Amino acid sequence: MWYRQLMDARVHSLLYDRPALYDLVFPDASETTLAMCLTAFSRWLAVPPQSVLDVGCGTGRELERLSRTIPECWGVDFLESNVAYARKMRLRLVIRQGDMRTIRLGRTFDAIVSLGNPLSYALTDEDLGRTLSTFAAHSRSQSLLIFDVLNARCYLDGNGFQERIEARVDVPGFAATTISIHTLDRSARLLKRKRTWLIPGQPDVEDYAEYRLLYPEEARQLVEGAGFEWLAGYDNRVFRESDLTGSTEGPPGAAAMHGRKLYAFARKR
């Protein structure tokens, strides 16, 4: 077993090694994430954004969807595999490789997004602060920030944590069963996942990931400390008001995670 270092987190993922597979496993065919962003733009920006930066852009799929209406779309990702795939498949995008704690592109954007919980790979308070500084460095007054994280209120106080989760992935061209074992460090607010992919006709593949859990109050303190105005937080992508406990029903998704995320919205002062 080998691990890739993302921030202070050790990570190995079949889906990071094979980015095309990531898009298959998480298709978001209804484009719920795109709809969330467009709603936020219309709600909190005076005019439609003309530029956007996606920090932790992964395969670039969500950024490409944003590019339908936004002329300048830039993405940053830490992983060479994601960057190479995004550059090959999303020719309209500007993709850079870099560490979200330190990268500086020398320009600002109307909107900053960081979706798919890349911020959860910042395990320490220091790295969380440094990443928020990156968001701020690429923002101008009134720029909109949208990000998601794993919601500590759900995993620590609600029903989001399950020690063992078995899930089935069955998409065109790929089928597998995943068995995920989770451990929770409550004092450090860290969630660790060991996931095994059982793929017919192929050797089993083992994943490992570490995530920082953030309470909504912590997320608000982070953005305000970086010079942003907190606008709203939700545990869903359709702007439904709740107590942010992220209570879940039904089976886990393809990621073999049961808890809901926190979706945060802020504006640069």
Side-chain angles (χ1 to χ4, degrees):
M1 170 60 66
W2 60 272
Y3 301 108
R4 188 181 277 120
Q5 199 78 12
L6 287 179
M7 312 290 280
D8 289 321
R10 293 184 305 156
V11 177
H12 177 230
S13 173
L14 172 68
L15 303 183
Y16 290 163
D17 293 340
R18 298 166 59 181
L21 186 58
Y22 186 100
D23 283 351
L24 284 175
V25 172
F26 302 107
D28 191 17
S30 60
E31 300 190 346
T32 310
T33 298
L34 173 65
M36 177 188 71
C37 291
L38 296 180
T39 299
F41 296 157
S42 65
R43 181 175 297 189
W44 287 304
L45 288 176
V47 296
Q50 297 301 297
S51 61
V52 61
L53 172 63
D54 187 348
V55 179
C57 65
T59 67
R61 185 188 64 201
E62 298 305 331
L63 189 59
E64 184 177 52
R65 290 173 174 176
L66 288 169
S67 74
R68 297 171 193 166
T69 58
I70 301 176
E72 293 187 83
C73 291
W74 289 48
V76 170
D77 202 86
F78 185 83
L79 299 177
E80 292 181 7
S81 54
N82 282 341
V83 170
Y85 180 80
R87 285 175 173 168
K88 178 181 178 181
M89 302 300 295
R90 328 283 190 193
L91 300 181
R92 290 185 295 176
L93 308 179
V94 179
I95 304 295
R96 298 285 186 264
Q97 184 178 3
D99 186 322
M100 64 184 179
R101 295 170 295 185
T102 58
I103 191 166
R104 296 294 184 268
L105 300 172
R107 60 159 297 175
T108 58
F109 298 83
D110 296 330
I112 312 290
V113 302
S114 186
L115 301 169
N117 52 272
L119 191 60
S120 295
Y121 289 125
L123 304 187
T124 68
D125 291 344
E126 178 184 0
D127 281 342
L128 284 165
R130 294 174 70 190
T131 305
L132 264 293
S133 294
T134 294
F135 296 164
H138 296 95
S139 302
R140 59 178 73 99
S141 178
Q142 301 304 300
S143 291
L144 185 66
L145 171 63
I146 305 172
F147 65 89
D148 61 26
V149 292
L150 298 186
N151 186 356
R153 191 174 292 176
C154 178
Y155 284 92
L156 298 178
D157 305 330
N159 67 349
F161 176 75
Q162 291 189 13
E163 183 176 356
R164 185 184 188 277
I165 293 178
E166 183 171 335
R168 178 69 181 168
V169 176
D170 195 351
V171 296
F174 181 76
T177 297
T178 63
I179 299 174
S180 296
I181 305 299
H182 300 93
T183 58
L184 192 60
D185 184 335
R186 290 183 173 273
S187 61
R189 298 191 298 285
L190 295 180
L191 176 70
K192 298 181 181 181
R193 181 189 67 202
K194 184 178 180 180
R195 178 175 61 189
T196 303
W197 294 81
L198 309 178
I199 307 171
Q202 298 184 32
D204 295 348
V205 178
E206 187 176 280
D207 281 355
Y208 182 85
E210 298 175 287
Y211 303 103
R212 171 69 178 267
L213 308 175
L214 280 182
Y215 279 104
E217 297 81 5
E218 292 179 282
R220 179 167 186 163
Q221 290 173 0
L222 278 169
V223 301
E224 291 179 344
F228 290 88
E229 172 195 3
W230 177 266
L231 298 172
Y234 298 91
D235 60 10
N236 58 83
R237 289 178 288 180
V238 294
F239 299 89
R240 184 178 63 250
E241 296 288 347
S242 74
D243 59 6
L244 301 182
T245 56
S247 296
T248 58
E249 298 178 359
M257 306 286 277
H258 193 61
R260 288 185 182 270
K261 296 180 184 181
L262 171 71
Y263 297 90
F265 304 85
R267 186 167 48 208
K268 190 70 169 64
R269 293 193 180 95

